Amino acid sequence: MNTNFLFVGTYTQTLDHVDGQADGIYCCELSADGSLSIGQTITGIENPSYLTLSSNKKFLYAVQEGTNLTDSLVFAYAVNEQTGQLTFLNSERTEGVTPCHLYVDAANRYLFVANYAGGNIIVYPLAENGRIQPPTDNIQHQGQGTHRKRQEAAHAHMVLFSPDNQYLLVADLGIDAVLIYKFDPDNGKLHLQQQVTAVNPGAGPRHMAFHPNGRILFVCNELDNTITSFTFENGSLTPIQTVSTLPKGWTDHAGCGAIRVGENGRFVYVSNRGPDNIATFQYDEESNQLALSTHTPTQGKTPRDFILLNNTMLVANQDSNTVVHFHLESGVPKLSGTVSQIPTPVCLAR
């Protein structure tokens, strides 16, 4: 597949937390200077707030972040390897409200969807042609946290497979937990292995990322703006450290967005909405400790997502309708000056 393609998920409607101005999924070409040019716009899907590609890059899957059971859907598209254009394949209901994240296993056999408002996880087999098949499992989380407005119930926020492709990890913001499921690929079933609540009460686990060594997991907590790191072994997590992502003295509203680990594992990055910056941490593999390096302004409002591309970074600023390009100099983001205009960008996938 042409590696210059990039797909942007967006909001198309005005909701409580966002003024969606987009038309759908934007299929873009990425230039050498980091600029994006829109080649195709996929309409017919509302609020495609999260996207993911199959590991072979032949198919793209997108949530439709609906507000009820009828309009909460997941869509499948075939990707043209030469042009990067998408062709609709099919869609399925997510059997839960407000799907917010999805993930394809390394074998491209199953798709997993997290429903935020529904607090449940859905497992879908995938056909060889990329089409989504009827679900084989539906796991409902239970409980609540200490944050009265955001943790009144379970809110599954991210699904992620372990590097060995045996365990599905779920960050649940509503119950302050990371849940680990052993996956049975023969039957498409999840079996709970461990529920880890080793985060501060009211932390709100949102997104996760593994270190390249596969033995360390980093979890960004949206509500208290922290990263909690864990060791991961045989399907079990043990907490190591929790650090703040915010600038010293920051007291206004904030919420972590996305977390990424650099290819060499030496740097961990988190987007901070509110302060509107990228927090860069250095990671010491001998001590397993994170140390804050710097905060880099994202030159826009509400950095919802970002991706790392070799020695560069692209940041999606949701509320200023921009995707901003940075160079990574000794691991630290430095503004390149390239800014692309994309309506309400909230997810970058390639």
Side-chain angles (χ1 to χ4, degrees):
M1 177 179 169
N2 187 331
T3 57
N4 292 329
F5 299 142
L6 184 139
F7 304 96
V8 183
T10 67
Y11 279 107
T12 63
Q13 298 175 326
T14 297
L15 303 171
D16 290 342
H17 64 286
V18 62
D19 179 18
Q21 300 178 20
D23 295 318
I25 300 170
Y26 294 110
C27 308
C28 302
E29 184 170 356
L30 176 63
S31 299
D33 65 355
S35 61
L36 298 177
S37 56
I38 299 173
Q40 181 192 26
T41 301
I42 301 298
T43 58
I45 179 171
E46 297 175 349
N47 304 319
S49 61
Y50 212 89
L51 318 174
T52 194
L53 286 158
S54 58
S55 63
N56 59 15
K57 309 297 184 182
K58 291 183 178 180
F59 307 104
L60 182 136
Y61 300 94
V63 299
Q64 175 169 287
E65 192 175 311
T67 57
N68 56 58
L69 287 172
T70 301
D71 63 13
S72 293
L73 304 168
V74 59
F75 284 68
Y77 301 89
V79 181
N80 186 297
E81 295 185 26
Q82 281 71 46
T83 67
Q85 292 199 333
L86 302 179
T87 301
F88 173 74
L89 294 175
N90 75 322
S91 64
E92 289 280 339
R93 291 186 180 179
T94 61
E95 300 190 6
V97 181
T98 321
C100 64
H101 197 272
L102 71 177
Y103 192 90
V104 179
D105 75 322
N108 300 311
R109 291 182 58 193
Y110 287 93
L111 173 71
F112 303 83
V113 174
N115 289 304
Y116 178 82
N120 59 330
I121 307 299
I122 310 297
V123 182
Y124 302 89
L126 296 174
E128 289 188 7
N129 64 3
R131 291 175 64 91
I132 306 167
Q133 304 300 297
T136 54
D137 210 353
N138 182 342
I139 303 294
Q140 180 66 55
H141 291 177
Q142 302 289 343
Q144 56 186 197
T146 60
H147 194 291
R148 298 176 67 179
K149 290 185 178 180
R150 296 291 306 279
Q151 294 184 317
E152 80 296 346
H155 293 307
H157 213 311
M158 184 182 186
V159 282
L160 176 69
F161 251 95
S162 58
D164 60 11
N165 210 41
Q166 294 187 42
Y167 301 95
L168 184 77
L169 288 80
V170 183
D172 194 306
L173 181 148
I175 59 177
D176 281 331
V178 177
L179 298 95
I180 305 170
Y181 295 93
K182 179 76 171 179
F183 182 58
D184 173 7
D186 293 329
N187 299 295
K189 297 293 185 180
L190 294 169
H191 303 283
L192 183 64
Q193 173 110 353
Q194 183 187 29
Q195 179 169 325
V196 180
T197 56
V199 296
N200 296 327
R206 175 185 172 90
H207 277 195
M208 306 171 286
F210 272 101
H211 189 275
N213 65 20
R215 300 189 301 272
I216 303 296
L217 179 75
F218 302 102
V219 179
C220 76
N221 302 302
E222 177 180 345
L223 301 182
D224 73 351
N225 303 282
T226 60
I227 301 173
T228 301
S229 54
F230 299 85
T231 58
F232 178 78
E233 185 176 8
N234 298 323
S236 179
L237 291 173
T238 302
I240 303 171
Q241 178 190 25
T242 296
V243 295
S244 173
T245 68
L246 295 178
K248 189 174 182 179
W250 182 271
T251 58
D252 291 340
H253 172 74
C256 291
I259 184 167
R260 310 284 184 194
V261 182
E263 289 184 5
N264 60 17
R266 293 175 53 206
F267 296 94
V268 177
Y269 307 92
V270 174
S271 61
N272 285 313
R273 297 168 294 175
D276 296 335
N277 62 39
I278 299 293
T280 301
F281 293 83
Q282 289 185 295
Y283 172 68
D284 186 323
E285 197 163 353
E286 290 187 5
S287 65
N288 286 335
Q289 296 294 297
L290 287 171
L292 179 65
S293 175
T294 188
H295 290 95
T296 304
T298 63
Q299 309 299 315
K301 296 180 180 179
T302 318
R304 177 71 174 262
D305 193 19
F306 64 97
I307 58 172
L308 305 174
L309 305 173
N310 299 318
N311 290 317
T312 67
M313 176 186 291
L314 286 172
V315 180
N317 290 306
Q318 171 187 290
D319 294 332
S320 54
N321 304 313
T322 57
V323 177
V324 181
H325 181 256
F326 296 82
H327 294 295
L328 295 178
E329 298 180 8
S330 300
V332 176
K334 301 292 184 181
L335 185 66
S336 73
T338 301
V339 179
S340 301
Q341 300 295 319
I342 304 286
T344 326
V346 294
C347 179
L348 305 176
R350 73 189 299 273

